[in-house]
Amino acid sequence: MARHLITSAIPYINGIKHLGNLVGSQLPADLYARYLRGRGHEVLFLCATDEHGTPAELAAAKAGKPVAEYCEEMHGVQAKIAEGFRLSFDHFGRSSSPQNHRLTQHFAGVLAEKGLIREVSETQMYSPTDGRYLPDRYIEGTCPNCGFDSARGDQCDNCTKQLDPVDLINPHSTISGATDLEMRETKHLYLRQSAMKDELEAWIDGKTDWPVLTTSIAKKWLNDGDGLQDRGITRDLDWGIPVRKGEEDWPGMEGKVFYVWFDAPIEYIACAQEWVEAGKGDDWERWWRTDKGAEDVTYTQFMGKDNVPFHTLGFPATILGSGEPWKLVDYIKSFNYLNYDGGQFSTSRGRGVFMDQALEILPADYWRWWLLSHAPESSDSEFTWENFQQSVNKDLADVLGNFVSRVTKFCRSKFGEEVPAGGSYGPQEEALIADLTARIAAYQGHMDAIEVRKAAQELRAIWVAGNEYLQSAAPWAAFKEDPERAATIVRLSLNLIRLYAVLSAPFIPDSAETMMNAFGPDAVRDWPAGTAADFEALEPGAAFTVPENLFAKIADESREDWQTRFAGTRS
């Protein structure tokens, strides 16, 4: 048994997330966590809400609520939706927690002692109309790199280029829309990433197994243009973690808070502390401190490609720069974008299907299967209602659901609600078992490598093999001439349902549980061992119940209705 620490990029608190956010981090992280638990490994799976920065302030202002009240409310909303999608977090924390306050201030103090933080007097956008400095996300304009007309002051959502507000063409305040912006002098703290370039580059070069998407983005930031730049880690905001040097005041930084991209990754560690304080665990240090047992932990992060720079450079610079024995990430699984019907999903612009809406119209497993089997790994992918309907109807209803229904109902009609005795596996069964044993090994290989789409394809092929066997062996025909032969076919097919439940649980946990529950609480739930015994776990005479229809097909009328209702906008 190995130990695995898994974190998903923490979602912004500013509203309910869309399906693109879900498939870009939380859902594949849950897939991997469930798989590893199924294999018997010890897993700590952490996520949280990202509650600081301008997105929180803007969303709270729009909602007409104090920021703290808004964040507490939305954390509850996001936690409930995560539960609805069966995201199996060991803890779902909050970046505004006291633990993250203390830890962020601790890191800042240590980095300052190491000479890795410098104070910079700089000019910053000031809005006379708003009477305040405007942090980068309070400013939008046209990207000078790609021409996108709604680029933010810190980064362009379209081309992912890092920006400063002064780079934008025709900038305006997102608070008032004012364009009479001017530059005024202020003082901020910068993390001296440039001083750590060689160390960071050597560390990244050592990650030869990382996805190309991850390393290519990291190296672009390391080497493009003038190379890795120092990064501001403070902002002029009311809401956030106050700037302190450990437990001491930081002269000249009064009234400022740490930049959200500095404190948000530190929340991964703080979240483990919250997990202990919530009574769910008893030792967070064995997961995060290499001097306290974390040296044997494998740490995997999941995120969309826009988050890669902060997890390959900023957060590692914080960890490495501290000189303290913190656990560094071993593998970063990054994803491209999931687009929606010819455009981009966007929380801020209300475009696409959002997580709460998805759960209102269909169960979580329908969405989990489509999103994971179409995960944007090698390139951007696109959600269309036609493709979604086709995938649900063919993969879930026609292949898996139909197999379970046909086998259990036929057995009930001919042998009763118990696994039939009689007969023994012959050449046809042995060939199927050999084929499935090889396929299960391939499936495990893809899951171990976090190749999500390949794993989904192999799982579907495993389901298909059972259907093809059932169709070829035809127990309904065999029963007329040789009831024992029919009993053999049905007994193996029932064992396949149990096996499918175990293998499918990471992808479609609710449906897998329904399949497993058909065989009662004592049914063997162990992951297959790669032997013939995997196909004989249900003994003759074992009782079962016929489960409800696992998957309802999506009718054309429903698809057309949803296409109209979710046409890419949200009020």
Side-chain angles (χ1 to χ4, degrees):
M1 182 178 71
R3 297 173 61 219
H4 288 267
L5 173 63
I6 299 171
T7 60
S8 162
I10 65 177
Y12 274 133
I13 198 71
N14 61 332
I16 295 167
K17 304 297 103 175
H18 54 67
L19 297 183
N21 294 131
L22 179 63
V23 75
S25 56
Q26 293 176 320
L27 187 54
D30 179 71
L31 174 79
Y32 191 52
R34 286 178 176 274
Y35 166 71
L36 291 173
R37 293 191 194 108
R39 298 297 305 274
H41 299 303
E42 185 181 4
V43 173
L44 180 61
F45 178 25
L46 302 173
C47 192
T49 40
D50 187 356
E51 300 189 9
H52 296 138
T54 52
E57 284 197 355
L58 291 170
K62 185 177 180 180
K65 297 181 178 180
V67 188
E69 178 184 329
Y70 173 81
C71 288
E72 182 176 4
E73 178 183 316
M74 286 309 302
H75 176 268
V77 170
Q78 290 200 20
K80 183 177 180 181
I81 293 173
E83 183 180 341
F85 274 98
R86 305 299 184 254
L87 302 178
S88 58
F89 304 129
D90 289 292
H91 188 70
F92 188 59
R94 303 181 61 186
S95 70
S96 63
S97 68
Q99 291 87 345
N100 198 38
H101 276 237
R102 289 192 298 269
L103 198 55
T104 298
Q105 291 164 344
H106 165 79
F107 273 113
V110 172
L111 290 166
E113 290 174 6
K114 301 283 186 180
L116 290 171
I117 289 180
R118 61 186 177 95
E119 294 187 11
V120 176
S121 291
E122 61 183 16
T123 55
Q124 186 176 331
M125 287 281 190
Y126 185 87
S127 170
T129 299
D130 299 307
R132 60 174 295 173
Y133 286 102
L134 297 181
D136 40 32
R137 288 204 174 209
Y138 278 77
I139 308 165
E140 286 190 358
T142 300
C143 175
N145 185 55
C146 70
F148 183 55
D149 63 2
S150 297
R152 300 192 308 264
D154 61 343
Q155 187 174 347
C156 176
D157 280 342
N158 188 56
C159 68
T160 75
K161 184 176 178 62
Q162 180 186 4
L163 298 169
D164 285 314
V166 293
D167 298 329
L168 295 173
I169 301 167
N170 299 324
H172 64 269
S173 164
T174 59
I175 302 172
S176 62
T179 58
D180 60 333
L181 310 183
E182 59 187 55
M183 302 303 294
R184 291 191 183 180
E185 188 168 337
T186 186
K187 186 181 289 186
H188 282 290
L189 301 179
Y190 273 65
L191 177 62
R192 296 183 59 225
Q193 295 183 145
S194 60
M196 299 191 64
K197 178 183 181 297
D198 292 344
E199 187 175 359
L200 288 167
E201 190 163 27
W203 175 68
I204 291 167
D205 285 343
K207 304 298 183 182
T208 55
D209 62 334
W210 281 10
V212 172
L213 179 63
T214 302
T215 53
S216 63
I217 293 173
K219 290 182 176 181
K220 180 179 179 181
W221 278 53
L222 275 168
N223 300 307
D224 273 12
D226 295 327
L228 185 61
Q229 300 296 300
D230 295 346
R231 186 70 164 159
I233 60 168
T234 56
R235 290 293 185 268
D236 290 296
L237 291 172
D238 297 326
W239 172 251
I241 297 177
V243 175
R244 294 179 65 85
K245 192 179 293 185
E247 297 180 358
E248 301 175 4
D249 292 335
W250 202 312
M253 292 293 122
E254 295 83 5
K256 297 183 187 291
V257 300
F258 284 109
Y259 181 32
V260 63
W261 274 114
F262 182 68
D263 81 76
I266 295 171
E267 166 60 18
Y268 295 140
I269 306 173
C271 187
Q273 297 176 343
E274 296 169 50
W275 166 70
V276 171
E277 190 160 313
K280 301 175 183 177
D282 57 9
D283 187 357
W284 67 268
E285 289 183 313
R286 68 187 287 264
W287 292 97
W288 278 108
R289 298 275 303 199
T290 56
D291 60 338
K292 300 291 181 67
E295 70 278 350
D296 66 348
V297 169
T298 299
Y299 177 21
T300 307
Q301 294 175 345
F302 289 79
M303 69 198 63
K305 61 184 178 184
D306 54 331
N307 287 337
V308 167
F310 304 100
H311 290 77
T312 56
L313 301 171
F315 188 38
T318 299
I319 297 293
L320 290 168
S322 74
E324 297 177 335
W326 298 103
K327 175 66 184 175
L328 277 161
V329 66
D330 294 295
Y331 190 83
I332 296 180
K333 177 67 176 183
S334 57
F335 291 84
N336 289 284
Y337 294 140
L338 175 70
N339 295 320
Y340 178 79
D341 228 7
Q344 285 189 336
F345 281 91
S346 172
T347 300
S348 60
R349 295 171 182 84
R351 176 172 173 77
V353 184
F354 289 72
M355 291 171 67
D356 59 336
Q357 297 169 330
L359 292 175
E360 286 170 5
I361 61 174
L362 285 171
D365 281 356
Y366 292 61
W367 300 105
R368 288 178 64 105
W369 174 252
W370 188 92
L371 290 167
L372 291 167
S373 61
H374 294 77
E377 290 175 292
S378 58
S379 62
D380 290 353
S381 58
E382 182 167 1
F383 176 90
T384 68
W385 287 102
E386 291 83 359
N387 186 284
F388 177 67
Q389 177 192 26
Q390 182 182 51
S391 182
V392 167
N393 289 355
K394 288 190 174 182
D395 299 348
L396 297 182
D398 288 346
V399 178
L400 181 58
N402 187 48
F403 179 80
V404 172
S405 179
R406 292 174 75 190
V407 171
T408 55
K409 289 179 179 177
F410 177 78
C411 184
R412 179 174 61 184
S413 69
K414 302 300 182 184
F415 302 102
E417 293 187 354
E418 65 178 40
V419 179
S424 59
Y425 292 170
Q428 193 172 11
E429 287 69 42
E430 291 169 0
L432 175 65
I433 289 170
D435 176 52
L436 287 180
T437 300
R439 289 193 177 280
I440 291 168
Y443 172 61
Q444 291 174 174
H446 294 315
M447 291 290 273
D448 287 335
I450 321 180
E451 296 172 327
V452 178
R453 291 180 73 148
K454 289 181 179 179
Q457 291 166 4
E458 197 63 59
L459 180 60
R460 186 185 188 279
I462 290 169
W463 299 340
V464 168
N467 272 275
E468 292 177 343
Y469 165 74
L470 188 66
Q471 196 63 29
S472 174
W476 44 86
F479 185 80
K480 299 174 184 177
E481 305 293 334
D482 187 351
E484 285 205 350
R485 172 62 184 155
T488 300
I489 297 166
V490 170
R491 187 165 65 253
L492 176 55
S493 298
L494 288 170
N495 270 283
L496 289 184
I497 294 174
R498 186 208 68 85
L499 188 61
Y500 289 173
V502 174
L503 295 173
S504 304
F507 281 89
I508 46 173
D510 286 350
S511 305
E513 189 67 14
T514 298
M515 286 189 278
M516 186 61 75
N517 286 342
F519 302 106
D522 297 327
V524 177
R525 293 171 176 257
D526 296 344
W527 195 267
T531 68
D534 297 331
F535 302 86
E536 300 178 36
L538 299 177
E539 297 182 354
F544 74 89
T545 58
V546 176
E548 295 289 328
N549 187 30
L550 283 180
F551 306 102
K553 284 193 172 185
I554 297 174
D556 290 343
E557 295 78 12
S558 296
R559 171 181 54 78
E560 291 165 0
D561 175 51
W562 297 333
Q563 281 178 305
T564 302
R565 286 170 57 193
F566 305 110
T569 59
R570 179 187 176 102
S571 59

